[in-house]
Amino acid sequence: QKMAQVGEALTGKNFISEQAAISAAIDFICKLNRVLNLKQDYKHLDIPRNQLQHFAQASQGSSMSCNPIQLTVEEWAKRFEAFM
């Protein structure tokens, strides 16, 4: 429901379905990334693969404790690997 509210806030529109509002939020963010020329992966950072575990462990800080979905170090490492 929060993501649907984000979709309505970003677009200034009211949506009949929650899924339509979520899709609008995702579309808006993707378009914004293109306009800002943000990279879609981490390849340009030239991070050595042997450092991924370090980054995964560092992602376990207290600022991440409020995330609705808690990821393990291994799950973070897999996600980082997917963006390399």
Side-chain angles (χ1 to χ4, degrees), residues 22-51:
I22 292 169
S23 293
I26 293 169
D27 289 345
F28 184 95
I29 293 167
C30 289
K31 288 176 186 172
L32 180 61
N33 285 350
R34 283 192 298 276
V35 168
L36 296 175
N37 198 29
L38 298 178
K39 306 291 185 195
Q40 294 183 1
D41 56 42
Y42 303 140
K43 293 175 186 169
H44 65 285
L45 299 175
D46 294 324
I47 298 170
R49 292 197 185 280
N50 64 356
Q51 292 293 310

Side-chain angles (χ1 to χ4, degrees), residues 55-76:
F55 286 113
Q57 289 173 339
S59 69
Q60 297 294 305
S62 62
S63 66
M64 302 298 279
S65 63
C66 292
N67 281 352
I69 299 174
Q70 295 295 318
L71 299 178
T72 65
V73 171
E74 293 78 22
E75 290 168 324
W76 273 115

